Amino acid sequence: MSPVETVRGPVESGQLGHVLMHEHVFVLNTEMQQNYPDFPNSWDEEARIADAVAQLRECKARGIDTIVDPTVIGLGRYLPRIQRINEQVDINIVPATGVYTYNEVPFQFHYTGPGLLFDQPEPMVELFVQDIREGIAGTSVKAAFLKCAIEEQGLTPGVERVMRAVGQAHAETGVPITVHTHPHSGSGLVAQRVLKEEGADLAKVVVGHSGDSTDLDYLCRIADAGSYLGMDRFGLDVLLPFEERVATVAELCRRGYAEKMVLAHDAACFIDWFEENAKRAAVPKWNFTHISDDVLPALRDRGVTDAQITTMMVDNPRRYFEAA
């Protein structure tokens, strides 16, 4: 076993229990909140915190012990708020460091770095390592994993720079990586190549949003290269219907790939990208209890065993976080 950093402090990897491997407490844009506080939804700090506590308690009541939260720069990470929530609910929240972008790096990095106006070692690596070893933003909370993204736009210069910084920080610290990918453009394979070039152990990489695809050849290539498949958007039926998501996981289990999959929703207690009622109407099952209530019974109906479910929800997360 290895210690895994959580919002409440380190937990032994063997004590993570049943894990949802890609969930967000909040996804926010603070600048929009400050300038347009009622668009597209109003923000009441205390009400949002109380609602998050209630949702996480529901999640815990379904037997979920841990959520892995890849909310990083670009998604509104603010640990003091998450600490307040975690004081009120007995669930492990595993925090991340990294940068979320589909195109450019934040302006704070545009002119500072190797070969730039202010020529120095990559500052993102230094910041990521600081979050991992010392704590995030002056808190005692240390990041347990790294996050980057590659979308349909592909390996833009900004995306590549962040990804290589994540790979370098991983090589220095040993903490694992989660990558937001767009499987329909094959970007998971691109991410694996770039991260490997920076010394990453692909067995410590979750290729996120692989569950948006039914392309078994692509998914098996990702898994055969060593990485975990993030089957992590259950409830987002507008991107791929429920039946196809379940059938893909069941078929991969039948082919012997249970040891290379992790499950989640990519849901949030609150996300300010959408108007709340519109989101609820479009994706009514996009919440933290959908896997427990609907997905696991559907998987069992298709022949997935309890042992395979334990592998995906308990054993694989433990192995992912354990020191290499």
Side-chain angles (χ1 to χ4, degrees):
M1 291 195 295
S2 303
V4 179
E5 296 294 341
T6 78
V7 170
R8 297 184 296 183
V11 172
E12 288 296 325
S13 55
Q15 302 301 312
L16 292 173
H18 286 76
V19 182
L20 295 175
M21 278 287 286
H22 192 122
E23 311 292 357
H24 302 272
V25 180
F26 292 124
V27 175
L28 304 169
N29 183 312
T30 303
E31 188 175 19
M32 285 291 292
Q33 277 185 7
Q34 290 172 339
N35 287 275
Y36 307 102
D38 295 319
F39 179 83
N41 305 284
S42 62
W43 175 264
D44 179 320
E45 180 85 5
E46 297 307 314
R48 295 297 181 190
I49 286 175
D51 180 62
V53 169
Q55 291 189 52
L56 288 168
R57 284 177 177 166
E58 261 196 276
C59 181
K60 175 70 174 181
R62 299 302 201 281
I64 301 300
D65 304 292
T66 301
I67 66 165
V68 177
D69 185 345
T71 306
V72 294
I73 300 304
L75 290 171
R77 184 186 69 181
Y78 183 58
L79 263 298
R81 182 182 290 127
I82 306 305
Q83 287 177 298
R84 285 189 60 197
I85 291 165
N86 213 174
E87 288 171 356
Q88 301 176 62
V89 57
D90 183 22
I91 196 167
N92 300 314
I93 302 175
V94 181
T97 187
V99 170
Y100 184 85
T101 180
Y102 298 165
N103 289 292
E104 300 293 332
V105 295
F107 277 105
Q108 289 78 6
F109 304 112
H110 265 240
Y111 305 105
T112 304
L116 300 176
L117 177 62
F118 302 104
D119 191 355
Q120 63 181 65
E122 177 56 73
M124 281 186 281
V125 174
E126 179 183 355
L127 291 175
F128 299 161
V129 171
Q130 177 179 295
D131 284 352
I132 292 162
R133 291 182 171 162
E134 299 176 22
I136 299 169
T139 71
S140 61
V141 178
K142 297 178 181 178
F145 68 111
L146 291 140
K147 166 78 174 291
C148 56
I150 177 170
E151 247 295 328
E152 191 172 6
Q153 296 89 333
L155 196 66
T156 68
V159 164
E160 181 173 5
R161 187 177 166 196
V162 173
M163 191 172 291
R164 292 193 182 279
V166 162
Q168 291 165 31
H170 161 85
E172 182 172 341
T173 64
V175 304
I177 300 168
T178 286
V179 188
H180 165 111
T181 67
H182 179 262
H184 307 298
S185 57
S187 63
L189 296 168
V190 177
Q192 285 184 313
R193 173 182 62 79
V194 173
L195 291 170
K196 188 174 182 180
E197 288 172 357
E198 297 301 331
D201 176 1
L202 294 185
K204 294 296 183 183
V205 176
V206 169
V207 177
H209 311 330
S210 295
D212 285 352
S213 175
T214 60
D215 184 343
L216 294 170
D217 290 340
Y218 167 77
L219 297 173
C220 289
R221 286 179 67 190
I222 295 287
D224 290 342
S227 298
Y228 292 100
L229 297 167
M231 314 306 276
D232 52 24
R233 276 183 162 172
F234 281 103
L236 270 176
D237 297 342
V238 293
L239 299 183
L240 187 71
F242 173 84
E243 291 293 335
E244 293 184 54
R245 291 184 185 275
V246 169
T248 302
V249 172
E251 176 60 20
L252 286 167
C253 283
R254 190 190 69 79
R255 295 188 184 193
Y257 284 94
E259 292 188 356
K260 302 308 296 182
M261 287 188 285
V262 293
L263 306 181
H265 309 90
D266 191 19
C269 298
F270 176 73
I271 177 171
D272 68 1
W273 294 5
F274 317 104
E275 194 278 324
E276 281 186 283
N277 291 329
K279 178 180 80 73
R280 196 173 295 114
V283 282
K285 296 286 189 177
W286 195 29
N287 58 62
F288 296 154
T289 61
H290 178 47
I291 286 175
S292 300
D293 292 349
D294 305 308
V295 175
L296 298 186
L299 288 173
R300 292 186 180 102
D301 287 345
R302 287 157 181 78
V304 177
T305 67
D306 286 341
Q308 289 172 319
I309 289 170
T310 299
T311 294
M312 292 185 285
M313 298 195 71
V314 179
D315 301 334
N316 293 345
R318 173 181 53 77
R319 283 192 289 262
Y320 170 78
F321 281 111
E322 284 179 341

